[in-house]
Amino acid sequence: MELVLILAICFTLLFVVEVFLGGAVPAPEQDAPALRRRMGMGAFFGQALPLSAAGIGLPMSIQHPWALWLVAGAAVLHILVCRVLKAC
């Protein structure tokens, strides 16, 4: 149960940083304004969240078989948001 809580907190922090804060701050020597844009909701729920859930779920599924549901949920979320809603 603690692992699920940690994952939920991590995904929430990823959402806040990418959508509201404009992503990770680039290095001081990089002065590209394109790096400081916020990610749209469609891009987050269609690309960033499914990719991070699958990236965490695949290696974790070796010890925890339920983690394959993260990968399946990521695929469904990507298909729903990007293909059906066309929000990406």
Side-chain angles (χ1 to χ4, degrees):
M1 186 64 190
E2 294 85 12
L3 185 58
V4 175
L5 181 64
I6 291 170
L7 286 173
I9 291 170
C10 289
F11 289 141
T12 303
L13 289 174
L14 178 69
F15 176 75
V16 168
V17 167
E18 290 296 334
V19 175
F20 292 113
L21 299 180
V25 179
E29 61 268 8
Q30 293 176 340
D31 195 28
L35 292 175
R36 295 192 186 120
R37 287 186 300 186
R38 292 184 189 179
M39 181 178 276
M41 291 283 219
F44 178 79
F45 285 106
Q47 294 171 342
L49 185 61
L51 186 61
S52 63
I56 290 172
L58 281 176
M60 199 168 72
S61 66
I62 295 170
Q63 272 192 322
H64 306 285
W66 58 265
L68 285 175
W69 287 105
L70 280 175
V71 179
V76 169
L77 190 62
H78 174 72
I79 291 170
L80 179 71
V81 173
C82 286
R83 306 285 186 227
V84 177
L85 299 177
K86 297 188 186 336
C88 292

